[in-house]
Amino acid sequence: QKEVEQNSGPLSVPEGAIASLNCTYSDRVSQSFFWYRQYSGKSPELIMSIYSNGDKEDGRFTAQLNKASQYVSLLIRDSQPSDSATYLCAVHAGNMLTFGGGTRLMVKP
Amino acid sequence: DAMVIQNPRYQVTQFGKPVTLSCSQTLNHNVMYWYQQKSSQAPKLLFHYYDKDFNNEADTPDNFQSRRPNTSFCFLDIRSPGLGDAAMYLCATSRELGGHEQFFGPGTRLTVL
């Protein structure tokens, strides 16, 4: 069974700090990796996609992928209270997307 | 703006009373998905359409059906809702299968009384 694992949190960081969110996956043939942000009661919003090993930066967000270790992470620099949400890691293998259970991030002013 | 639209945003039904949720998209994507998400859980894929080709997940109950009359619209029918079907239902689209980004609509919150 293909699995995507995340620490459920909550991960609490002070405003302005770096938040680090981690995800591991079990299917070695996975090729595409995504991070979604989900506010309470809302639908998931795509914030990052990454397809090759290394780092990908977009504004305050950096996604990191290590296929050998089956590990993907999301760094949020200069965290803001508006970043408080659940972050879902999603991994694509074959035709389907498998979601992790999400990590709840709390950014405290 | 290109987008994924779901109606209604909130739906209340009675135990056993059929309900239909709708999804439309202006992205002209080939693939449309229906997910079920319960509180504090990951979205669970129910089925997807690649164009008119329907693909059901193995563990999706028969109580759930779907229709895609054209590229833009997709419907989720719950024939006899049970209390356990109360959840957020999410429609998503992607340009193609195989690793393309999926974009979600706002969701429909279903309550079963």
Side-chain angles (χ1 to χ4, degrees), chain A residues 32 34 36 38 41-46 48-49 51 56 88 92 94-97 99-102, chain B residues 33 35 37 40-43 45 48 57 88 90 97-107 109:
Chain A
S32 306
F34 306 94
Y36 287 84
Q38 187 171 27
K42 303 296 185 182
S43 65
E45 175 192 6
L46 180 66
M48 288 288 284
S49 56
Y51 303 94
K56 179 182 178 182
L88 299 168
H92 215 286
N95 284 330
M96 288 304 108
L97 199 59
F99 285 87
Chain B
Y33 308 82
Y35 289 86
Q37 188 179 28
S40 301
Q41 295 184 19
L45 182 64
H48 75 274
E57 291 300 295
M88 174 80 88
L90 299 164
L97 292 170
H100 287 252
E101 297 169 333
Q102 290 187 20
F103 298 95
F104 285 84
R109 171 74 64 186

Side-chain angles (χ1 to χ4, degrees), chain B residues 4-5 25 32 48 56 61 69 71 75 78 86 98 102 107 110-111 113:
Chain B
V4 182
I5 301 163
Q25 54 125 345
M32 296 186 77
H48 75 274
N56 199 32
T71 301
F75 299 97
I78 309 177
Q102 290 187 20
L110 178 67
T111 300
L113 301 177

Side-chain angles (χ1 to χ4, degrees), chain A:
Chain A
Q1 183 176 352
K2 301 170 186 176
E3 293 185 347
V4 178
E5 300 287 340
Q6 296 181 254
N7 188 320
S8 62
L11 172 66
S12 183
V13 301
E15 183 175 357
I18 295 175
S20 178
L21 305 164
N22 304 314
C23 173
T24 59
Y25 59 95
S26 63
D27 191 345
R28 287 191 169 274
V29 302
S30 299
Q31 294 297 320
S32 306
F33 306 86
F34 306 94
W35 283 98
Y36 287 84
R37 178 176 61 199
Q38 187 171 27
Y39 292 112
S40 181
K42 303 296 185 182
S43 65
E45 175 192 6
L46 180 66
I47 56 172
M48 288 288 284
S49 56
I50 186 166
Y51 303 94
S52 54
N53 281 328
D55 295 359
K56 179 182 178 182
E57 186 175 319
D58 183 2
R60 295 187 296 114
F61 298 100
T62 298
Q64 299 175 318
L65 175 61
N66 185 324
K67 291 185 180 180
S69 301
Q70 296 176 241
Y71 177 92
V72 58
S73 65
L74 180 70
L75 302 178
I76 306 175
R77 289 182 300 281
D78 189 24
S79 295
Q80 301 297 310
S82 59
D83 295 326
S84 298
T86 296
Y87 289 80
L88 299 168
C89 172
V91 176
H92 215 286
N95 284 330
M96 288 304 108
L97 199 59
T98 300
F99 285 87
T103 297
R104 184 176 162 218
L105 173 67
M106 297 173 60
V107 181
K108 298 194 172 182

